[in-house]
Amino acid sequence: MAEEHYLELSENPVQFEHASSVNNVFFDEANKQVFAVRSGGATGVVVKGPDDKSSVAFRMDDKGEVKCIKFSIGNKILAVQRTSKSVDFINFIPDYPHTEFSQECKTKNASILGFCWTNWNEVVFITDQGIEFYQVFPDKRSLKLLKSQSINVNWYQYCPETAVILLSTTVQGNILQPFAFRNGTMSKMSKFEIELPVVPKPAKLSLSERDIAMATIYGQLYVMYLKHHSRTANSPSAEVVLYHLSREGSCKKSHVLKLNTTGKFALNIVDNLVVVHHQSSQRLPARHHHQRQRR
């Protein structure tokens, strides 16, 4: 009888040159693409998709260290961030000019934390002072600011399936402000608070980007919080707290997954399964199939 299992590795793994002093590796969650960027003279870029047929290789001018690199949906436009002030764009649409064009963030003295493609020609800059939503015109090699929002930002998360960006705000970082994007519009959703196990005094950034993940489970958007307890607390084990984030109405805590262990973890969602990786033991301490909620 075959052994039962929850997960199995692909028979055709994506292979790429490992990260080194001359090779940077990036992963784009939206397109499921791995970028291997090799510097030195002209910059060589190899893009590996979920299968061999989606691989792309090209060269671009070396204009400095690449901080972030992503294709828009359908590999139509490439965006490259090299500085904290601007993002460069290159057309990959046939018969369009292939020369680079650039866009600086509009907010004065702001630093770009990163960017997200929400459509093939719509991109969001996330800065430490807010977000800027642009439409890209590849034929004119220019961008148009559609909408912006000023807000102090510590870090951000993006869920490509729902085109929702989550911003960490306030000194402690545990007030999360989501924004939804659809067909050229940006909507501000209800902000919500993550309950911290310990409130620091004086206040300091206490909610880490690595302890938050966003995912769609059975078609519903959830924010997952990896909650660590101190060893002296009554509940020494870590937990994964699920918050159901609806486009209408407030965000509500819905489920708690107890991990029965402590340490460093990583979260993934595979086929509506919440998978928790435990780094020190190199195992899965909990496997939790989120159940549909009956109406």
Side-chain angles (χ1 to χ4, degrees), residues 88 105 238:
D88 301 324
C105 64

Side-chain angles (χ1 to χ4, degrees), residues 138-195:
D139 53 339
K140 300 177 181 178
R141 292 187 294 131
S142 64
L143 282 77
K144 175 186 177 183
L145 181 65
L146 299 177
K147 198 170 183 180
S148 63
Q149 176 79 46
S150 295
I151 184 172
N152 289 331
V153 181
N154 301 304
W155 47 261
Y156 72 95
Q157 294 273 8
Y158 179 53
C159 179
E161 291 83 7
T162 56
V164 171
I165 294 177
L166 193 66
L167 305 180
S168 163
T169 70
T170 69
V171 176
Q172 293 176 176
N174 64 324
I175 303 297
L176 301 184
Q177 175 64 68
F179 288 87
F181 298 84
R182 181 181 293 169
N183 299 327
T185 63
M186 181 178 87
S187 304
K188 189 176 183 179
M189 301 168 65
S190 298
K191 64 182 178 182
F192 62 99
E193 181 177 356
I194 297 290
E195 300 173 12

Side-chain angles (χ1 to χ4, degrees), residues 13-136:
V14 176
Q15 299 185 25
F16 52 90
E17 187 176 349
H18 65 83
S20 66
S21 59
V22 296
N23 190 65
N24 285 331
V25 178
F26 303 88
F27 179 63
D28 175 21
E29 183 67 39
N31 290 319
K32 303 293 187 287
Q33 291 174 326
V34 176
F35 286 76
V37 181
R38 191 174 183 88
S39 59
T43 301
V45 183
V46 178
V47 187
K48 299 272 190 170
D51 54 72
D52 291 336
K53 295 179 181 178
S54 56
S55 296
V56 179
F58 57 90
R59 288 186 174 276
M60 59 186 185
D61 293 338
D62 191 345
K63 297 181 179 180
E65 180 187 358
V66 173
K67 296 178 179 291
C68 187
I69 182 168
K70 299 175 187 177
F71 268 117
S72 70
I73 298 167
N75 293 2
K76 294 182 182 296
I77 307 170
L78 179 71
V80 184
Q81 182 188 353
R82 297 184 175 98
T83 74
S84 61
K85 299 298 180 185
S86 65
V87 177
D88 301 324
F89 298 87
I90 307 174
N91 289 326
F92 275 73
I93 304 171
D95 302 326
Y96 276 61
H98 196 67
T99 52
E100 286 192 19
F101 54 104
S102 184
Q103 177 65 50
E104 289 190 359
C105 64
K106 298 288 188 181
T107 309
K108 189 177 181 181
N109 299 326
S111 294
I112 299 175
L113 302 178
F115 63 88
C116 302
W117 287 102
T118 59
N119 205 331
W120 78 268
N121 65 340
E122 293 169 2
V123 67
V124 182
F125 291 3
I126 301 96
T127 77
D128 57 356
Q129 297 183 33
I131 54 177
E132 301 175 1
F133 183 34
Y134 292 93
Q135 183 175 1
V136 184

Side-chain angles (χ1 to χ4, degrees), residues 208-273:
S208 169
E209 179 181 358
R210 64 171 292 140
D211 291 333
I212 293 291
M214 300 173 70
T216 51
I217 305 174
Y218 291 115
Q220 300 294 313
L221 177 58
Y222 287 86
V223 174
M224 299 181 293
Y225 167 42
L226 192 53
K227 187 176 184 179
H228 301 277
H229 293 277
S230 64
R231 295 182 182 274
T232 58
N234 294 328
S235 302
S237 68
E239 301 171 341
V240 177
V241 184
L242 270 67
Y243 293 82
H244 181 218
L245 185 56
S246 61
R247 284 183 177 268
E248 310 294 336
S250 58
C251 180
K252 296 179 181 179
K253 184 196 295 186
S254 60
H255 297 78
V256 176
L257 170 60
K258 295 185 181 297
L259 302 182
N260 300 319
T261 188
T262 60
K264 291 185 177 180
F265 303 91
L267 294 171
N268 289 104
I269 299 294
V270 181
D271 189 25
N272 301 309
L273 186 73

